[in-house]
Amino acid sequence: DAGVTQSPTHLIKTRGQQVTLRCSPKSGHDTVSWYQQALGQGPQFIFQYYEEEERQRGNFPDRFSGHQFPNYSSELNVNALLLGDSALYLCASSLAGVISTEAFFGQGTRLTVV
Amino acid sequence: QKEVEQDPGPLSVPEGAIVSLNCTYSNSAFQYFMWYRQYSRKGPELLMYTYSSGNKEDGRFTAQVDKSSKYISLFIRDSQPSDSATYLCATPGNTPLVFGKGTRLSVIA
């Protein structure tokens, strides 16, 4: 079992650009949540996808959008990048209806905006 | 008031010391409390979780919840250099997981 895989591992973007991050959930999981972790902070919830729909959203602007595919993999898109978007972006997968104690995290994508 | 608060440290201890990591939470309705360990440049991994009040032990690690004071703790006995990491407390709050800021721990050999 490969667990949760995220790609790319690192990337550098320029202010104003757009970026797409990808996540493949753990085998058997159908729900994907995205978190942003700024340096020295705990992860902050961005949104959660289940059945290809956004089910819940945290306090993030509309520049952050996502998608879930029929195979449960997911993308996080960020438009009009700001310097403050520099962070580690984490994907967590779980099974719908199961308490978050069963969520597994990927290694993250480290985004640097210059 | 933040849902979960955690002293970010950093905390530095000698090998073999007992480590105490702590968080407070705001909502008395919270029932599950998790501790994650995050090594540098890695994603968080679940160490253990407790439900409601009481203690839970797993090897050198003990998680404790005091619901009367809304206080959660993680104790590490006989700490090892391999325990050096950031420790995050979390709970399913108004979002799937609400995290504290994390406490950076260094265990010095």
Side-chain angles (χ1 to χ4, degrees):
Chain A
D1 185 357
V4 180
T5 57
Q6 292 186 242
S7 63
T9 307
H10 304 86
L11 74 167
I12 299 173
K13 289 286 188 177
T14 303
R15 271 182 302 175
Q17 285 188 315
Q18 179 263 347
V19 68
T20 298
L21 311 181
R22 296 176 176 83
C23 171
S24 292
K26 180 179 167 64
S27 177
H29 284 182
D30 57 9
T31 300
V32 172
S33 302
W34 287 92
Y35 293 81
Q36 179 196 65
Q37 186 175 23
L39 198 61
Q41 303 293 316
Q44 299 287 316
F45 174 72
I46 303 174
F47 43 53
Q48 183 181 77
Y49 275 84
Y50 169 64
E51 290 189 332
E52 302 179 48
E53 289 189 10
E54 183 183 293
R55 296 293 176 169
Q56 192 175 2
R57 189 178 184 93
N59 189 24
F60 279 80
D62 291 345
R63 298 186 298 108
F64 290 77
S65 63
H67 189 77
Q68 187 179 34
F69 299 94
N71 67 352
Y72 308 122
S73 67
S74 177
E75 289 182 348
L76 163 66
N77 302 292
V78 187
N79 294 322
L81 284 166
L82 304 174
L83 294 179
D85 295 331
S86 296
L88 180 67
Y89 287 85
L90 295 162
C91 168
S93 77
S94 57
L95 201 54
V98 176
I99 199 76
S100 296
T101 55
E102 300 300 321
F104 290 82
F105 283 84
Q107 301 265 54
T109 293
R110 184 160 299 281
L111 171 65
T112 302
V113 182
V114 297
Chain B
Q1 184 183 8
K2 289 195 172 181
E3 292 180 280
V4 178
E5 305 243 27
Q6 181 175 11
D7 183 347
L11 184 61
S12 184
V13 301
E15 182 176 358
I18 296 174
V19 177
S20 172
L21 304 168
N22 308 293
C23 292
T24 58
Y25 62 95
S26 60
N27 191 332
S28 57
F30 293 163
Q31 295 278 33
Y32 287 87
F33 304 95
M34 288 87 111
W35 285 96
Y36 285 82
R37 178 175 61 196
Q38 186 174 26
Y39 290 114
S40 182
R41 303 181 185 279
K42 302 288 187 183
E45 57 174 330
L46 180 66
L47 267 179
M48 56 198 307
Y49 71 90
T50 54
Y51 174 74
S52 194
S53 272
N55 292 0
K56 185 173 183 178
E57 190 173 316
D58 184 1
R60 297 184 294 109
F61 298 86
T62 299
Q64 191 173 77
V65 177
D66 182 346
K67 295 206 81 179
S68 62
S69 59
K70 301 194 188 79
Y71 201 81
I72 56 178
S73 302
L74 178 71
F75 299 97
I76 307 174
R77 291 183 300 280
D78 187 25
S79 56
Q80 302 295 310
S82 59
D83 295 328
S84 298
T86 296
Y87 290 80
L88 298 153
C89 59
T91 184
N94 294 321
T95 61
L97 281 173
V98 179
F99 286 88
K101 279 189 173 183
T103 300
R104 190 155 57 101
L105 170 68
S106 296
V107 181
I108 311 301

